[in-house]
Structure formats: C-alpha cells, structure tokens
C-alpha cells in the first residue's frame, strides 16, 4: 500500500514526460497542470525536478530529426505552461548519465517475473499500433528497452532520492516497483534510498474525441481525435464540432452509457475547475450544440496563454539551451551524491 502521509516539508518531487510530439489536452490536464500546481504550492525547502525523458522515447521507433525537435519543443512547453526554471529543476534526462548507470544496477536486481507483471508495456505497444489498450499484442516484437523501461523509471525517481512522485492510475504499478527496489537495495547493501511516496494527482481522464472509449492519444491516426496545446481556436472548434456524442435528448453525465457526452463535460469541467456532474446540471435542458459551443470557448481560452508563450519560447534556442544546461547541472549535483553512495555500497567505488 502506498503511503500518502509523508511530511509536507522538505519534499523532493520528481516527474517526467516523454518528448513525443506536442502534448494534447489529456497530457495537460492529466499531468502538466498538476506540475504547475505542485510548484506554486511548494514550501521553500521543497525540491522539484521535472525532466524530459528522451531515453524512454527510444523504447519505440523514432525519427532522429523529429525526436530532436520534439525534445526541444517539450522543454519549451514546460516553460510555457508556467514552470519556473529558478524554482523547478527542468532538464533533459539524457543529459544525466547517472540515470542509465543506476538503471543497469537495478536491472541486475530485478527479476523477469517482476517485469512481466508490469502491464504498461503492453498498452504502449498497442498504442503504437493504434490498437485499443486491452488488445492482444505480439510479444515477439517486444524490445528489451520497452520491457525494462519501468526499471529506468525507478532510476529516474531514485537517483534523486525522491520523497514524492505525482502519478496517475496507470503509473502506480511503476512506483510500486521503485519501492520494491528501495527495500531490496537497502536490505542487501546499505540504506541509501528514501522510500518514495505517492502524490495522487486529481487528474482528469480525457478521452478521444472520435472514440470516447479510449484515452486521447498522440498516436491515433485521426488528428481530429485530439486537441493539441498549439491548436488555434478555429482548429479546436472544428475538432469539437465532430466529437462523437449521441442522439439522446438533454445533457447528463453518464460515462458508461454516454461516454462522448461525458467526455465533453469532463473537458469543460477541467477548464472551469468544476466536476463534470456539476457542469451537467447546467446543461440538463440544453442540447449538444450548446455544450460543444461552450467547450470550444473554454478550451480555446484555457490554452491561449500557454500556446502564445510556447510559440515565443520555442524559437529562442539560446534560452532553451541555457535552461537545459543549468537544469542538468543542478540535477547532476543531486544525483551525483546518490550515485557516490550507491557505488560505495555495491563495491564499485
């Protein structure tokens, strides 16, 4: 059972995001907005580390030029949404080799059985082939990096002796692995690692606009299924206009029977900081046309500041490089202390 009762002060919060294209609305409400809230509500002694996890992106095929551009753009997104490089340590994971070294050490302590119990690699393979999350996948196509990437994720967390990790429902299993590795390492060698606790994010599960039985995804073949942080109001309107709903009169929140309608209510509630149930009450006697019109306006206004700031920052390569280098230096200072203790503990010092 994951503990949520760690002390509020002196926290070390760690999280990361893959550089696989411009984030969509699900990424924003599911993770990025929570990062900003954590930063803005942090105590002065809290340490926050947010990384762009380039090595994780390599678990699926990438076009080098596109990955390089996405890597830079993702850092620009983090800055555009309101993360402050003076308050939060922002960096590229692949600029700190301590992650890879610690991942190898943890790989040597992790059984195949433990990794087979991880289910996310199956959903990632399915998503890469545009299949549903529960679809059967050919394990013969599974590469070792994708199979063991939960170990690298554990290294991302434990290299900084994180005390807290913000996670959604689909990441809880990976934090359990990190906690298991803490117990195993500390009992086998010496008590180097802190047991990381969970910050259960109040994330909104945003679904595909075209298939509201699946999560919104950057890899879905239909571009109208997702709203990107860079979409202009006209593009947002066009995508919401074709969003799947139903022919039932009136608006109610019923994720099972009316998933498309429920998805629009979730999106509108996320923009207005209301529950979808409360939003539904306002639209009980209205139709989907009214709802879609208000969703368009709310989403366009919610994304406007970040979109405008992103377009300004993404072309300032010198600034992005400065932020990345400074973040990598500060991150390495912290992870270097951890790795010194690790090497001494296992006899490689």
């Amino acid at each position: 059972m994951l503990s949520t009762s760690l002390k509020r002060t002196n926290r070390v919060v760690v999280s990361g995001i893959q550089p696989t294209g411009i984030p969509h609305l699900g990424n924003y409400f599911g993770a990025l907005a929570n990062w900003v809230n954590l930063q803005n509500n942090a105590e002065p002694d809290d340490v926050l580390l947010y990384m762009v996890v380039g090595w994780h992106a390599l678990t699926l095929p990438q076009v080098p030029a596109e990955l390089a551009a996405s890597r830079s753009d993702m850092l620009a997104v983090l800055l555009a949404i309101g993360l402050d490089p003076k308050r939060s340590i922002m960096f590229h994971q692949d600029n700190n080799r301590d992650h890879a070294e610690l991942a190898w050490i943890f790989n040597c302590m992790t059984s195949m059985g433990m990794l087979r119990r991880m289910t996310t690699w199956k959903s990632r393979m399915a998503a890469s082939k545009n299949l549903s999350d529960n679809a059967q996948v050919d394990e013969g196509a599974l590469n070792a990096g994708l199979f063991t990437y939960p170990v690298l994720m554990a290294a991302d967390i434990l290299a900084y002796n994180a005390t807290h990790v913000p996670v959604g429902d689909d990441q809880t299993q990976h934090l359990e692995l990190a906690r298991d590795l803490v117990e195993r390492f500390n009992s086998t060698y010496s008590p180097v690692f802190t047991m990381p606790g969970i910050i259960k994010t109040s994330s909104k599960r945003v679904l595909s606009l075209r298939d509201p039985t699946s999560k919104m995804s950057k890899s879905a073949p239909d571009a109208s299924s997702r709203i990107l942080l860079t979409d202009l109001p006209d593009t947002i309107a066009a995508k919401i206009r074709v969003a799947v709903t139903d022919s039932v009169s009136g608006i109610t929140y019923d994720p099972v029977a009316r998933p498309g309608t429920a998805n629009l209510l979730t999106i509108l509630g996320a923009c207005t900081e209301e529950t979808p149930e409360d939003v539904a009450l306002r639209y009980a006697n209205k139709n989907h046309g009214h709802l879609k019109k208000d969703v368009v306006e709310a989403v366009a206004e919610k994304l406007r500041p970040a979109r405008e700031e992103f377009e300004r920052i993404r072309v300032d390569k010198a600034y992005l490089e400065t932020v990345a280098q400074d973040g990598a230096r500060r991150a390495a200072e912290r992870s270097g202390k951890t790795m010194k203790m690790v090497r001494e503990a296992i006899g490689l010092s």
Side-chain angles (χ1 to χ4, degrees):
M1 189 70 178
L2 296 177
S3 171
T4 56
S5 60
L6 296 178
K7 291 183 179 180
R8 178 62 180 82
T9 56
N10 299 318
R11 299 190 306 179
V12 178
V13 178
V14 175
S15 197
I17 188 169
Q18 291 195 39
T20 50
I22 299 298
H24 55 63
L25 205 59
N27 302 135
Y28 178 74
F29 287 125
L32 299 179
N34 287 306
W35 291 7
V36 176
N37 288 336
L38 284 170
Q39 171 190 268
N40 293 343
N41 292 297
E43 296 290 339
D45 291 334
D46 288 347
V47 177
L48 303 105
L49 298 106
Y50 298 126
M51 68 190 87
V52 179
V53 289
W55 281 324
H56 287 291
L58 297 179
T59 58
L60 294 174
Q62 301 291 336
V63 177
E66 292 178 3
L67 179 59
S70 294
R71 185 174 175 271
S72 176
D73 279 351
M74 188 57 73
L75 183 59
V77 165
L78 299 186
L79 293 163
I81 63 172
L83 291 177
D84 181 356
K86 293 184 175 64
R87 181 64 190 89
S88 299
I89 300 174
M90 287 180 280
F91 64 104
H92 292 292
Q93 169 210 41
D94 50 276
N95 279 345
N96 186 351
R97 299 300 188 263
D98 288 342
H99 293 241
E101 181 182 355
L102 186 56
W104 176 251
I105 293 168
F106 285 159
N107 267 321
C108 296
M109 303 177 67
T110 306
S111 70
M112 294 285 286
M114 291 174 65
L115 291 175
R116 284 206 170 275
R117 288 193 291 274
M118 300 287 117
T119 58
T120 312
W121 62 265
K122 294 181 181 179
S123 62
R124 275 183 57 74
M125 282 190 70
S128 71
K129 300 177 185 300
N130 297 315
L131 302 173
S132 66
D133 291 348
N134 299 320
Q136 292 294 319
V137 294
D138 177 15
E139 293 188 22
L142 174 64
N143 65 59
L146 183 54
F147 187 57
T148 63
Y149 93 95
V151 180
L152 177 56
M153 187 177 293
D156 296 336
I157 294 167
L158 299 177
Y160 303 98
N161 255 326
T163 63
H164 291 75
V165 182
V167 296
D169 292 335
D170 59 349
Q171 296 294 316
T172 302
Q173 196 177 46
H174 295 158
L175 189 55
E176 291 281 12
L177 176 63
R179 290 169 62 86
D180 185 86
L181 286 167
V182 168
E183 291 182 351
R184 185 166 301 192
F185 188 98
N186 287 354
S187 62
T188 301
Y189 298 107
S190 62
V192 170
F193 295 108
T194 300
M195 186 65 73
I198 188 172
I199 298 176
K200 198 69 173 178
T201 58
S202 57
S203 59
K204 307 295 188 298
R205 192 170 189 268
V206 179
L207 304 176
S208 165
L209 297 176
R210 302 298 291 157
D211 176 16
T213 63
S214 301
K215 289 194 302 184
M216 188 173 283
S217 170
K218 285 180 278 189
S219 61
D222 189 346
S224 64
S225 68
R226 56 189 172 271
I227 295 174
L228 303 180
L229 265 66
T230 52
D231 281 347
L232 294 169
D234 287 348
T235 303
I236 294 171
K239 292 178 178 181
I240 295 295
R241 191 178 304 119
V242 298
V244 171
T245 52
D246 55 53
S247 58
V248 179
S249 61
I251 302 297
T252 57
Y253 181 70
D254 187 340
V256 175
R258 309 183 69 182
T261 301
N263 191 37
L264 293 178
L265 291 168
T266 297
I267 292 171
L268 183 53
C271 292
T272 60
E273 299 183 356
E274 298 174 278
T275 68
E277 292 87 351
D278 287 343
V279 175
L281 293 176
R282 298 207 312 270
Y283 290 86
N285 298 316
K286 298 182 180 180
N287 59 36
H288 285 103
H290 289 104
L291 176 60
K292 287 185 174 183
K293 177 179 178 294
D294 290 349
V295 170
V296 169
E297 293 177 357
V299 171
E301 183 56 30
K302 188 72 173 180
L303 298 185
R304 181 186 55 77
R307 184 188 72 247
E308 293 175 352
E309 187 68 358
F310 170 74
E311 296 298 345
R312 183 186 69 80
I313 294 174
R314 74 184 305 191
V315 297
D316 193 344
K317 301 302 183 184
Y319 174 60
L320 290 171
E321 185 62 24
T322 298
V323 171
Q325 289 183 358
D326 182 63
R329 176 187 59 77
R330 293 160 66 195
E333 287 176 356
R334 301 191 67 87
S335 65
K337 295 175 183 177
T338 303
M339 291 309 300
K340 182 177 184 296
M341 292 187 292
V342 169
R343 295 183 196 109
E344 289 175 351
I346 64 176
L348 289 180
S349 176

